[in-house]
Amino acid sequence: MELVLNILKIILSIICVFAVLASKLKLSNWWIRVFDFPRIQLLIMATLAVALYVFPYLSFEALNITGFLLVVFSWFYQARKIFPYTLMAKKEVKKDKKASPENEIGILVSNVLTPNRHVEKLINLVKKEKPNLVLTLESDKWWEDQLQVIEKDYKYQVKIPLDNLYGMHLYSNLELENTKVHYLVEDDIPSIHSSVILPSGKAIQIHCIHPEPPSPTESDTSLSRDAELLIVGENVKDPGLPTLVFGDLNDVAWSRTTRLFQKISGLLDPRKGRGFFNTYNAKYFPFRWPLDHIFHTEDFLLREIKRLPSISSDHFPIYIKLKLKPENDQDDKKEALEEDEKDWKEETIDKANPNILTI
């Protein structure tokens, strides 16, 4: 039994330490970037490793102490990354309990999983939550046909049915203006950009995205995803209108790319201080992290945010309701980029050879 525990301790220690090293490497290889995702799981692994070092007692041999200290460091490293998304952290977006329907917008984002055939589950959620915008991702022609039943309530639509797992459909019961579909980096991965007119007559800008993830089955590197996020961040950093960016970003909130995206754009994350809202993987509880995001400018207050029940996809849907702040209640908290951040941003976009830089 002692031998088994020692082997487990060594394996966990190697994984924990390598995960920290991988996070520090500015490489885009999928097998490096994959360690950005499971920071919650890595924290649990580090906790277990620490317990194995001290149970039944801590050996003071140099190798054992070195391993113990490295694992403790990895524990604090992972904890620091995910702490902003715990209930103990400061909330980045204030909540407002007072309703103002003419200046509110509700958004439901759902990666439906193309072969999933339980469309009725999504339709029931739409009927229950009554969002103003419904964004479906991975939706093909079959999903488009099945969702025709909601079109009577959502007369503004943007339909991009694709069979490559990057189809996208936007349904709105609010008027859409100046709608554009772009293929920012990859020729077969679309994004939707539009203005939404609230009942009060005020306009807000929306950007719906679903970049390609780094994985052995999708892309060998994170280059395409990183470039798309950074291009969108660059384009919304000085918005003329209140702005929302949402979709399946195929990235976690605590990754270097998403943190840089927030820093460039100045957009806020309403999950900070409220929880992880893990939307993926809906099918396997031990392997969950937040992939579906809704970022916004400082023009908004939070009315409600929640992860919705499963629709038999590998993603849970997520729902948010936001309210425009009074025009005299705006702040400017945008941080300046460090030189190495500017260099990495420019190098990433240049290497990706994007189709479009201005959206």
Side-chain angles (χ1 to χ4, degrees), residues 277-293:
F277 296 90
N278 295 328
T279 55
Y280 178 92
N281 188 309
K283 296 180 181 291
Y284 302 104
F285 177 77
F287 304 102
R288 287 185 180 171
W289 38 75
L291 283 193
D292 300 271
H293 307 262

Side-chain angles (χ1 to χ4, degrees), residues 30 111 113-114 138 163-166 186 188-189 210-225 248 250 280 314-315:
W30 76 264
N111 183 317
L113 185 64
T114 301
E138 287 199 30
D163 297 321
N164 63 353
L165 305 182
Y166 292 98
E186 303 291 342
D188 56 353
I189 299 181
H210 183 202
E212 184 179 38
S215 79
T217 58
E218 297 279 349
S219 174
D220 291 337
T221 74
S222 64
L223 194 61
S224 174
R225 179 203 66 189
D248 173 4
N250 276 316
Y280 178 92
D314 54 351
H315 288 244

Side-chain angles (χ1 to χ4, degrees), residues 122-342:
L122 177 59
I123 292 171
N124 288 338
L125 283 179
V126 171
K127 290 179 179 178
K128 179 182 177 182
E129 302 297 337
K130 295 180 173 59
N132 300 109
L133 304 180
V134 178
L135 176 67
T136 63
L137 306 158
E138 287 199 30
S139 40
D140 58 4
K141 190 65 171 67
W142 183 90
W143 274 89
E144 179 180 302
D145 292 341
Q146 302 306 308
L147 289 172
Q148 286 181 6
V149 297
I150 72 170
E151 291 183 7
K152 64 181 184 298
D153 297 316
Y154 294 87
K155 67 176 184 176
Y156 301 96
Q157 303 133 24
V158 185
K159 302 177 181 180
I160 316 168
L162 296 173
D163 297 321
N164 63 353
L165 305 182
Y166 292 98
M168 182 181 289
H169 290 72
L170 177 65
Y171 301 89
S172 175
N173 61 18
L174 299 175
E175 183 181 357
L176 299 179
E177 288 186 347
N178 304 315
T179 301
K180 299 175 184 177
V181 174
H182 288 312
Y183 295 79
L184 296 174
V185 179
E186 303 291 342
D187 294 335
D188 56 353
I189 299 181
S191 57
I192 299 172
H193 312 268
S194 187
S195 295
V196 180
I197 310 302
L198 298 181
S200 64
K202 295 179 180 178
I204 62 174
Q205 190 73 33
I206 63 167
H207 304 274
C208 311
I209 58 177
H210 183 202
E212 184 179 38
S215 79
T217 58
E218 297 279 349
S219 174
D220 291 337
T221 74
S222 64
L223 194 61
S224 174
R225 179 203 66 189
D226 296 345
E228 182 160 341
L229 292 179
L230 297 177
I231 289 169
V232 173
E234 274 288 306
N235 275 268
V236 303
K237 67 181 181 181
D238 295 306
L241 295 173
T243 298
L244 298 164
V245 175
F246 52 93
D248 173 4
L249 272 59
N250 276 316
D251 197 14
V252 282
W254 44 71
S255 79
R256 181 173 76 242
T257 305
T258 298
R259 285 186 290 115
L260 183 56
F261 162 80
Q262 270 201 272
K263 196 170 182 180
I264 292 169
S265 64
L267 299 188
L268 306 182
D269 187 342
R271 292 166 300 184
K272 285 185 177 178
R274 293 188 169 89
F276 300 117
F277 296 90
N278 295 328
T279 55
Y280 178 92
N281 188 309
K283 296 180 181 291
Y284 302 104
F285 177 77
F287 304 102
R288 287 185 180 171
W289 38 75
L291 283 193
D292 300 271
H293 307 262
I294 303 167
F295 296 103
H296 59 80
T297 50
E298 294 173 340
D299 305 277
F300 297 94
L301 297 168
L302 178 67
R303 292 278 288 119
E304 183 180 11
I305 183 170
K306 57 186 175 181
R307 189 184 73 182
L308 298 177
S310 170
I311 63 164
S312 298
S313 168
D314 54 351
H315 288 244
F316 290 103
I318 190 166
Y319 172 80
I320 192 170
K321 180 182 284 188
L322 296 165
K323 169 186 170 182
L324 276 180
K325 285 182 179 180
E327 292 182 1
N328 60 353
D329 188 20
Q330 307 302 321
D331 302 310
D332 186 7
K333 302 176 182 177
K334 195 176 295 182
E335 298 179 65
L337 298 187
E338 303 291 339
E339 284 303 317
D340 64 324
E341 291 174 324
K342 292 179 182 178

